[in-house]
Amino acid sequence: MTLDKEELGSGERDAADDYTPSQRRRDRERYRRARARRATAIGALSTLVTAVVLYLVVVSAPGWPRTKETFFDREYALEALPKVLEGLWLNVRLLLICGAAVLVLGMLIAVARTLRGPVFFPLRFLAAAYTDFFRGLPLIINLMIVVLGVPALRLQGVTVDPVLLGGTALTLTYSAYVAEVFRAGIESVHPSQRAAARSLGLSNRQALRYVVLPQAVRRQVPPLLNDLVSLQKDTGLVSIGGAVDAVRAADIIVGRSLNYTPYIVAGLVFVALTIPMTRFTDWVTARMDRRQAQGGAI
């Protein structure tokens, strides 16, 4: 019997090796490749034409020479780039530290909002009030209140470092947004999952930890990454308190030279840092969509 199976398997492999697609299938694949090449060529040509038109419109504007001198000066760009990159390290550190704090605090707030039972009503109320307040409060105002207001109180043992205070304000605001993302993920898990976990002898806390939260987090990865991309850009707002980050480093040069090229340099540096995170978010989103469409685990 073993020999027959081996012979059958060998025969199937030989048949697979000898397979030759039909002429119709080859024509179809050739047509698809030609269509893909045509679409790529049209897209490249339209992009080139659009870029040329925009360039001509900008360059032919009456104020272009003055704008070029004020915003696109090569000398000031080379002067600003090292200082902007040095200040960018502060933005990266804020992203890493505040991002971790936001995820932890946001998860705790989301869990508090989804607790069941009347005994947890005060906790649910406070969590809801927190998210409503900090989602409604503009980030720039929150930063001014924390960075400028806390030192004015002259509290003993409370830091006046603008970096720490600015990071605190960022964490307070973004944890409210992330908490809603986590809460949406928790509520998207079907109640039968929790009931099945309870039927297996797990407590409510164990069901939440081992069954509900893993599914909720996996489903909310794309919006969480989008929030982190936004956080990365908003770390530049800590400069309002005097912290020397990439934006503040550019501002110092602008204040001395009255040329705005350093702002362009700082903006391009943030864009260069943000694009890989954005593309990674798009890749994760597309991958999860494909798995969901194929019936795989989300």
Side-chain angles (χ1 to χ4, degrees), residues 15 23 27 37-38 62 67 140 153 172 189 219 261 271 288:
Q23 183 62 35
D27 293 341
R37 288 194 298 268
R38 180 172 175 270
T67 301
I140 187 69
L153 295 176
L172 291 174
V189 178
R219 295 178 180 182
T261 303
V271 170
M288 296 184 68

Side-chain angles (χ1 to χ4, degrees), residues 23-296:
Q23 183 62 35
R24 184 174 182 181
R25 180 169 183 176
R26 290 198 297 269
D27 293 341
R28 188 186 303 116
E29 292 176 352
R30 191 181 303 111
Y31 170 75
R32 289 176 178 174
R33 289 194 296 268
R35 187 175 180 180
R37 288 194 298 268
R38 180 172 175 270
T40 302
I42 293 175
L45 180 61
S46 63
T47 302
L48 179 62
V49 171
T50 302
V52 170
V53 170
L54 291 176
Y55 174 78
L56 293 177
V57 170
V58 172
V59 172
S60 61
W64 168 245
R66 180 59 177 169
T67 301
K68 180 181 178 181
E69 179 184 352
T70 305
F71 289 92
F72 302 99
D73 189 284
R74 182 175 181 272
E75 179 181 352
Y76 286 111
L78 294 177
E79 178 187 353
L81 183 59
K83 296 180 174 61
V84 168
L85 291 177
E86 183 180 353
L88 185 67
W89 174 234
L90 174 60
N91 298 105
V92 173
R93 284 182 292 168
L94 279 172
L95 172 64
L96 296 176
I97 298 174
C98 294
V102 163
L103 291 175
V104 174
L105 183 57
M107 174 64 75
L108 293 176
I109 296 171
V111 171
R113 290 203 63 181
T114 56
L115 291 175
R116 301 179 179 182
V119 69
F120 295 113
F121 173 77
L123 196 58
R124 291 196 302 268
F125 176 80
L126 290 175
Y130 178 93
T131 55
D132 291 343
F133 179 79
F134 282 105
R135 289 177 70 197
L137 183 68
L139 175 59
I140 187 69
I141 295 179
N142 185 18
L143 279 163
M144 290 181 177
I145 292 174
V146 176
V147 175
L148 304 178
V150 171
L153 295 176
R154 298 181 181 180
L155 299 174
Q156 294 295 328
V158 177
T159 181
V160 295
D161 187 347
V163 176
L164 295 178
L165 294 176
T168 300
L170 289 172
T171 302
L172 291 174
T173 295
Y174 272 90
S175 59
Y177 288 101
V178 170
E180 288 300 285
V181 173
F182 279 131
R183 185 173 72 92
I186 293 172
E187 293 182 349
S188 69
V189 178
H190 199 274
S192 62
Q193 297 288 316
R194 191 188 297 265
R198 295 285 290 138
S199 68
L200 293 175
L202 275 66
S203 63
N204 282 323
R205 185 178 63 179
Q206 291 173 329
L208 180 66
R209 177 181 178 184
Y210 296 110
V211 178
V212 177
L213 288 183
Q215 298 183 63
V217 172
R218 283 198 299 270
R219 295 178 180 182
Q220 299 304 105
V221 167
L224 287 174
L225 290 175
N226 282 325
D227 283 337
L228 290 179
V229 170
S230 299
L231 175 62
Q232 184 269 321
K233 294 182 295 182
D234 286 341
T235 55
L237 295 177
V238 299
S239 60
I240 65 173
V244 184
D245 67 330
V247 177
R248 182 59 178 169
D251 189 55
I252 293 173
I253 300 176
V254 170
R256 184 179 69 247
S257 63
L258 298 180
N259 187 285
Y260 298 106
T261 303
Y263 285 147
I264 302 297
V265 174
L268 292 177
V269 168
F270 273 100
V271 170
L273 185 62
T274 302
I275 286 178
M277 297 177 62
T278 306
R279 296 285 75 82
F280 177 71
T281 302
D282 294 340
W283 177 81
V284 171
T285 303
R287 179 172 177 269
M288 296 184 68
D289 290 342
R290 287 195 301 269
R291 294 183 63 183
Q292 184 175 6
Q294 295 171 359

